[in-house]
């Protein structure tokens, strides 16, 4: 009952905050700031001049789809290179005492590459424990910067797609560099500063002190890690990045000390993805579309919350006698949060592409653990990552509109834009690239690991771990099922490949799609047009989301969690 | 051409022969989805052969492998059969059309005059620009434009309409079609197409399916189907290492057989829609030609489904031909019968339908006798553009009828006075949407004959249906706005364009297109050609000029402008059939998973037996039942693909709900029942 109330309050607060934020985001995409943040205009202009964009006040030079792809790819590849070098040489940088008080050695090449790709692609898959591998400099100046930039890249690509749908007969999709600056300056930074202060006030630590070594009561030596946590904790969630400062991520008391911060963190993960739904409606001038999409997302999410919650709170058929089940399955969960909030957090984090965790999926019940897995596999359509969620959802909507539109006897169209063969090509690439990566990656891993040394669990649980890892990496989620030793050449390299293709294999077709859509004229709606805002369409969309996921993943799931469940 | 039954004996055997011819790989590769099934059939056949040489497919019996292989071949054959059947129907229609296209001798002239010298040539030697003489009683050898002469022509070979039509040089009725027969007089025709390139030749090729190109929407759908096929290929291919891993790790069970993997793949791949996709397209063209409309491309038919604005000429489409006399309104102190008599006389020489209708009404209402011309001087005055009047000089008086302004000028020129009351009567009639014709005898104005349009029966319901489908109807007329508004209201069109000139039509189409509408129109005159070329869907009347036919993308052989609505329906139905079968095909897969997955992995994970919710007898019968169901669905749906999903006018949302229920939910549920039934038949166990 308390949990139900918790969930209800959560969604009311989320919706109430997402609505005005969506309005603000639409403003930022269209023109720029107003009100208090207008004071930052000179900073914006300075930064944009640094990117080399010629700008005449409000109307920067716009870019077409190919220029967008160029911008995104150049920026991302350069960032991967820079992050790789900074991590690889983290022990050779100046001011070691200040920035690397623990004197961690340079990060091995394969791990550095994996981590660089991981943070640049907004995945934040971590094959390392932050407190035992990364210097303060690496955490703050290298990785946390990517938390902002990779989120902003996703949001900018989404803005380009929004423009592609809203505009008519043009090639211009806005300017990538200008968007990047504005998104950081007017959305990510201000809210992260406020968020970090609130978290710090609740006890999230923020210091540059060396780790504290102390003796426990029975005389053992223990190390208590410190660090500048609060400043990157908020953006970790807010930018749906998920790369924790500590290995335990949001289960660690220095990252997530209280039930209130837990609520706040859950909320901050969904805040931007939810608000983008409303920004979309404002940009295309039809808020009914927003409500339909928001409704579908909430409905889909509910479809996952209910079974997970039931699985985690009801005693299993073969419950060990003497184990108290009154509080639900608490294995791997923090008692200061409880089962209900932990379930919500782990579903929110897999629905989006965040991947932060406040409880260990590996210790969930088989069905409870399958839900986060499935939630990643349906693609980033249940809210999804910042930016990637909405562009993933729009690709899915276009797919649904295509089949649904045919069923009403017209060439399918969305928001007046006809969906033709080029669009279809881009849509199917964007929708199928992740299942392709997940399945083939898992297949390669199972072939590679006939006698696995890095697997701690036998089949089918071990299979689920591999399946989960590739689902997480291909969807740029970054949450781990745990129980898998990922820091090997094999995992670091296949992971880097999967994350890179999983990110840009979607972004490139989405940008080409945006460019092609922008060039189309807008057909006037009539009674004969498939309406995309009603309940019928929403149900159709849900049907297709589940159908596509089911068809791709039922066999894999049957060999993993389902087989385990029936064992 | 008449609509054919779905299947005749002859068609069946022809199609059956084609079914096997189409097994050639170069034919199969054109349909990527079915090509993968074809490869799967070859593979499983190979496994079967190999099983006799001691190569075991994970311990599967050769009987099982053979059964799977056979049913996969059947899947391919069923697909071939449906396409062959649709093509066969098209060919049957085409050969009827082609009967009219035999070799015909004609005289090729040097210059366009009757006395010109010429040589006799066969129709296959005629080229664009040649001048030919066509005599009475001979067939027109090729499409062309009449440059000299007028003749009555029997076009029944093309239109099925037995009444001959008049064809003459100049004007809107100057084109002749190859294969039609000149009944009287003779014509000099300039050939407008090279041999085999005539308008009908091209269209026959389309109907036949030989010149069929995939339409844009079909291409987009194929992309989706290919993507689904590829991803299912990955889904099934990766199951092999998954299975090997599970067996190696758990140390129990057996790796899945390749035969069952191929079976699973074929069941998952969108074979239902893949097999029927081309059939749907060909059948759509056939349905259109069955209502005597020939399209220049499948793209045009598809575009017809998208049309949301229909431009319809008033005359002939919305109203019956021409205006009819409706009422005689006498001027003050003039008896209606006196007016009727004068109107009769003024119309006596007027052969236009309006003139005839005045005579008819006068006879019917006042029993006016035919005027006697014995000993009386009479002279018919035909309508001229200068006077804008027509009439008769008879017995010393001049009878005239014409528009108010024309009669007013005439009366004034004779020194008479135009009575204000008559002006009032005429204005009132015009306000009511009728056409007032004023009748005068010399300088005396006798009154007004009211002509009215008669709206066709049932047309209002038809427009209501169109409105329900989201299609806006716009009436085009040369009438004044007041008249137009009245008829528009009576016929129930959404909007009208009054006092329309050809360039207004073009401007209107452009305006709607700029607003994002898809516009369809019909036309027959040369001055319609620019508008026809601009419209998204343009149906030219076969009776119209060559220019109009070339500008349009469809030709209605019956020259019935109302046909446009049927064209729209066929276009929509084609898309609906595609969408519905796609949904059905994908939704089917869920049940197949429940049949095949537990069967495949039972030996490794016995717990997965819980997924066998259909309680199929054995793993082998489960896989076989799914494959058989998958194959049998194709022939079961051939009639649907040929006839199209039933469609009646309704809004998109209602249509979506209905089709989603039938093909979405139906597609989910049906295979559970079907696979279970087949399993019972195969094993005899419930």
């Amino acid at each position: 009952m308390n949990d139900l109330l918790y969930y209800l309050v959560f969604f009311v607060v989320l919706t109430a905050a997402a609505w005005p934020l969506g309005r603000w985001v639409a403003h930022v995409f269209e023109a720029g700031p107003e009100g208090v943040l207008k004071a930052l205009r000179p900073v914006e202009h300075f930064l944009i001049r640094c990117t080399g964009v010629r700008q005449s006040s409000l109307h920067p030079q716009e870019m077409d789809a190919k220029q967008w792809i160029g911008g995104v790819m150049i920026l991302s590849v350069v960032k991967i290179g820079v992050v790789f070098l900074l991590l690889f040489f983290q022990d050779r940088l100046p001011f070691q005492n200040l920035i690397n008080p623990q004197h961690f050695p340079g990060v091995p090449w394969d791990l550095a590459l994996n981590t660089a790709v991981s943070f640049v692609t907004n995945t934040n898959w971590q094959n390392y424990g932050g407190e035992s591998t990364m210097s303060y400099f690496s955490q703050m100046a290298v990785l946390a910067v990517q938390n902002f930039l990779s989120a902003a890249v996703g949001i900018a690509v989404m803005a380009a797609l929004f423009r592609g749908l809203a505009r008519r007969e043009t090639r211009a999709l806005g300017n990538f560099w200008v968007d990047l600056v504005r998104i950081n300056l007017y959305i990510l930074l201000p809210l992260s500063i406020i968020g970090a202060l609130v978290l710090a006030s609740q006890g999230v630590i923020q210091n540059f002190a060396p780790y504290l070594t102390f003796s426990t009561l029975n005389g053992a030596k223990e190390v208590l890690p410190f660090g500048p946590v609060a400043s990157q904790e908020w953006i970790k969630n807010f930018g749906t990045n998920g790369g924790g400062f500590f290995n335990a991520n949001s289960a660690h008391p220095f990252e997530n000390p209280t039930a209130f911060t837990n609520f706040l963190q859950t909320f901050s993960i969904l805040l931007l993805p939810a608000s983008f739904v409303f920004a979309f409606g404002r940009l295309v001038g039809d808020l009914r579309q927003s409500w339909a999409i928001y409704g579908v997302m909430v409905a889909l999410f509910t479809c996952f919350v209910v079974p997970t919650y039931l699985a985690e709170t009801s005693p299993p058929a073969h419950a060990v006698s003497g184990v108290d089940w009154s509080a639900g399955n608490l294995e791997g969960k923090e008692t200061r949060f409880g089962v209900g909030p932990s379930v919500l957090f782990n579903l929110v984090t897999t629905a989006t592409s965040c991947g932060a965790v406040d409880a260990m999926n590996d210790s969930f019940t088989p069905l409870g653990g399958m839900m986060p897995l499935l939630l990643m596999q349906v693609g980033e359509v249940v809210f999804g990552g910042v930016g990637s969620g909405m562009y993933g959802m729009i690709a899915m909507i276009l797919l649904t509109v295509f089949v649904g539109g045919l069923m009403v006897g017209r060439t399918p169209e969305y928001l007046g834009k006809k969906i033709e063969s080029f669009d279809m090509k881009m849509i199917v690439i964007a929708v199928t690239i992740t299942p392709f990566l997940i399945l083939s990656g898992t297949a390669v891993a199972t072939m590679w690991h006939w006698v696995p040394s890095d697997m701690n669990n036998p089949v089918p649980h071990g299979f689920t771990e591999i399946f989960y890892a590739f689902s997480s990496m291909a969807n740029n989620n970054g949450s781990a099922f745990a129980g898998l030793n990922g820091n090997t050449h094999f995992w670091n390299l296949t992971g880097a490949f999967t994350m890179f293709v999983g990110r840009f294999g979607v972004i490139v077709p989405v940008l080409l799609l945006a460019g092609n859509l922008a060039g189309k004229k807008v057909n006037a709606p009539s009674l004969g047009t498939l309406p995309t805002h009603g309940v019928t369409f929403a149900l159709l969309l849900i049907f297709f989301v589940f159908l596509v996921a089911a068809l791709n993943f039922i066999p894999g799931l049957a060999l993993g969690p389902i087989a385990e469940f029936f064992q | 051409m008449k609509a054919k039954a779905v299947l005749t004996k002859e068609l069946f055997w022809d199609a059956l022969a084609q079914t096997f011819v189409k097994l050639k790989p170069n034919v199969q590769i054109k349909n990527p989805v079915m090509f993968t099934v074809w490869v799967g059939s070859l593979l499983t056949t190979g496994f079967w052969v190999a099983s006799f040489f001691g190569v075991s497919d994970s311990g599967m019996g050769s009987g099982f492998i053979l059964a799977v292989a056979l049913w996969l071949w059947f899947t391919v054959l069923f697909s071939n059969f449906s396409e062959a059947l649709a093509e066969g129907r098209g060919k049957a229609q085409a050969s009827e059309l082609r009967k009219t296209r035999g070799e015909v001798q004609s005289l090729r002239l040097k210059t366009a005059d009757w006395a010109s010298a010429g040589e006799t040539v066969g129709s296959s030697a005629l080229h664009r620009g040649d001048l030919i003489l066509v005599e009475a009683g001979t067939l027109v050898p090729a499409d062309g434009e009449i440059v000299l002469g007028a003749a009555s022509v029997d076009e029944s070979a093309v239109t099925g309409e037995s009444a001959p039509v008049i064809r003459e040089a100049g004007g809107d009725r100057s084109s002749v079609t190859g294969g039609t027969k000149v009944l009287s007089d003779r014509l000099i025709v300039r050939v407008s197409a090279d041999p085999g390139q005539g308008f009908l030749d091209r269209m026959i090729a389309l109907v036949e399916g030989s010149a069929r190109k995939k339409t844009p929407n079909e291409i987009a759908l194929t992309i989706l189907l290919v993507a689904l096929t590829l991803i299912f290929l990955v889904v099934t291919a990766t199951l092999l290492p998954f299975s090997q891993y599970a067996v190696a790790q758990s140390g129990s069970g057996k790796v899945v057989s390749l035969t069952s993997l191929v079976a699973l793949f074929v069941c998952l791949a969108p074979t239902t829609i893949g097999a029927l996709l081309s059939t749907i397209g060909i059948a759509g063209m056939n349905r259109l030609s069955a209502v005597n409309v020939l399209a220049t491309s499948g793209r045009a038919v598809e575009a017809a489904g998208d049309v949301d604005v229909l431009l319809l000429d008033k005359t002939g489409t919305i109203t019956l031909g021409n205006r009819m006399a409706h009422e005689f309104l006498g001027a003050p102190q003039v008896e209606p019968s006196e007016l009727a008599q004068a109107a009769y006389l003024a119309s006596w020489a007027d052969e236009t339908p309006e003139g005839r209708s005045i005579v008819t009404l006068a006879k019917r209402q006042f029993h006016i006798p035919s005027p006697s011309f014995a000993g009386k001087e009479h002279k018919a005055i035909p309508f001229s553009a200068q006077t804008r009047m027509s009439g008769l000089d008879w017995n010393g008086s001049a009878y005239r009828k014409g528009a108010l302004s024309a009669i007013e000028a005439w009366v004034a020129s004779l020194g008479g006075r135009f009575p204000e009351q008559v002006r009032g009567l005429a204005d009132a009639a015009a306000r009511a949407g009728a056409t007032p014709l004023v009748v005068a005898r010399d300088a005396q104005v006798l009154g007004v004959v009211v002509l009215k349009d008669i709206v066709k029966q049932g047309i209002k319901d038809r427009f209501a249906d169109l409105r329900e489908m989201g299609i806006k109807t716009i009436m085009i007329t040369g009438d004044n706005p007041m008249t137009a508004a009245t008829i528009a209201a009576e016929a129930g069109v959404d909007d009208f364009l009054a006092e329309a000139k050809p360039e207004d039509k073009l401007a209107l189409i452009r305006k709607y297109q700029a607003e994002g509408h898809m516009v369809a129109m019909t036309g027959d005159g040369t001055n319609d050609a620019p508008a026809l070329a601009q419209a998204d869907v343009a149906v030219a009347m076969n009776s119209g000029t060559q220019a109009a036919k070339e500008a349009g993308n469809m030709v209605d052989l019956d020259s019935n402008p109302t046909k446009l609505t049927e064209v729209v329906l066929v276009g929509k139905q084609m898309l609906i059939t595609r969408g519905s079968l796609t949904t059905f095909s994908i939704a089917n897969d869920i049940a197949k998973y429940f049949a095949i997955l537990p069967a495949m992995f039972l030996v490794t994970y016995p717990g997965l037996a819980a997924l066998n919710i259909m309680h199929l007898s054995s793993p082998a019968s489960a896989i076989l039942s799914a494959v058989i169901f998958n194959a049998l669905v194709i022939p079961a749906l051939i009639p649907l693909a040929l006839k199209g999903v039933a469609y009646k006018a309704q809004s998109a949302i209602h249509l979506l709900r209905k089709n989603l229920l039938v093909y979405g939910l139906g597609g989910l549920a049906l295979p559970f029942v079907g696979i279970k039934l087949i399993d019972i038949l195969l094993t005899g166990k419930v």
Side-chain angles (χ1 to χ4, degrees), chain B residues 593-606:
Chain B
Y593 267 140
F594 277 100
I596 297 180
L597 280 183
M600 282 169 96
F601 295 108
L602 205 56
V603 281
T604 315
Y605 296 120

Side-chain angles (χ1 to χ4, degrees), chain A residues 496-553:
Chain A
F497 174 81
T498 306
M499 291 184 286
F500 188 86
V501 180
R503 176 74 162 180
F504 300 106
V506 179
I507 282 183
V508 170
V510 161
L511 284 173
L512 289 172
L513 176 69
N516 200 47
L517 288 172
K520 292 174 196 261
K521 56 179 196 173
V522 173
N523 293 312
S526 77
L527 261 182
T529 317
L530 174 75
T532 50
H533 52 260
V535 175
T536 308
F537 181 77
L539 289 175
L540 182 69
L541 183 55
I542 292 173
F543 177 72
F544 266 89
V545 167
F546 275 124
L547 197 62
V548 170
L551 295 180
N552 287 326
F553 299 114

Side-chain angles (χ1 to χ4, degrees), chain A residues 168-169 399 402-412 418-422 424-425 428-429 432-433 435-436 438-440 442-447 449-452 455 457-460 462-463 466-467 521-531 534 536-537 539-540 543-544 546-548 550-556 558-560 562-563 566-567, chain B residues 216-217 219-221 223-224 227-228 230-232 234-235 238-239 241-246 248-250 264 268 302-303 305-308 467-471 513-518 536 571-573 575-580 582-583 586-587 589-590 593-594 597 601 605-608 610-611 647 650-653 655-657 659-660 663-665 668:
Chain A
R168 56 179 76 183
E169 291 167 82
L399 191 72
F402 184 77
V403 180
L406 284 182
M407 273 196 285
V408 302
R410 273 174 70 112
T411 307
K418 277 209 158 81
I419 307 172
E420 289 155 311
S421 51
F422 180 83
M424 208 56 213
K425 243 180 254 173
V428 296
I429 293 174
T432 56
I433 192 91
F436 185 81
I438 294 169
L439 292 168
S440 49
T442 309
V444 170
T446 52
M447 287 193 276
H449 290 263
W450 278 33
V451 190
M455 300 287 309
N457 286 296
V459 286
F463 179 80
I466 300 176
F467 201 35
K521 56 179 196 173
V522 173
N523 293 312
S526 77
L527 261 182
T529 317
L530 174 75
T536 308
F537 181 77
L539 289 175
L540 182 69
F543 177 72
F544 266 89
F546 275 124
L547 197 62
V548 170
L551 295 180
N552 287 326
F553 299 114
I554 278 184
L559 293 178
I562 297 177
F566 285 119
Q567 239 172 10
Chain B
N217 174 263
I219 294 171
L221 182 56
I223 290 170
L224 174 64
L228 282 172
L230 280 178
I231 197 78
F232 287 134
V234 175
V235 168
T238 52
L239 273 180
F242 291 181
S243 168
Q244 288 167 337
Y245 177 77
Q249 291 279 302
S250 63
L264 176 64
L268 293 180
E302 209 170 86
D306 291 346
V307 161
D308 57 359
R467 197 168 305 118
E468 182 75 15
M469 285 155 57
I471 297 171
Q513 286 174 335
E515 287 168 12
H517 294 281
M518 292 277 285
D536 299 289
K572 280 196 180 298
Q573 215 183 13
L575 294 179
I576 294 172
T577 311
R578 271 186 212 148
S580 300
T582 304
T583 310
I586 304 172
D589 286 355
I590 297 290
Y593 267 140
F594 277 100
L597 280 183
F601 295 108
Y605 296 120
L608 286 181
L611 290 185
Y647 173 64
Q650 53 190 321
S651 70
I653 192 75
L655 200 58
L656 179 66
R657 276 185 206 139
N659 286 334
L660 211 52
Y663 298 96
L665 285 184
L668 273 181

Side-chain angles (χ1 to χ4, degrees), chain A residues 226-247:
Chain A
F226 290 136
V229 179
S231 62
Q232 83 189 62
E233 186 64 18
W234 181 268
I235 188 67
K236 173 192 93 177
N237 297 315
F238 191 53
T240 64
N241 294 288
F245 193 94
F246 300 113
N247 196 26

Side-chain angles (χ1 to χ4, degrees), chain B residues 425-449:
Chain B
L425 287 173
D427 284 350
R431 266 197 301 281
T435 305
L437 282 182
V438 181
V439 179
R441 184 174 57 215
D442 301 322
Q444 188 193 0
V445 176
L446 294 175
V448 175
V449 184

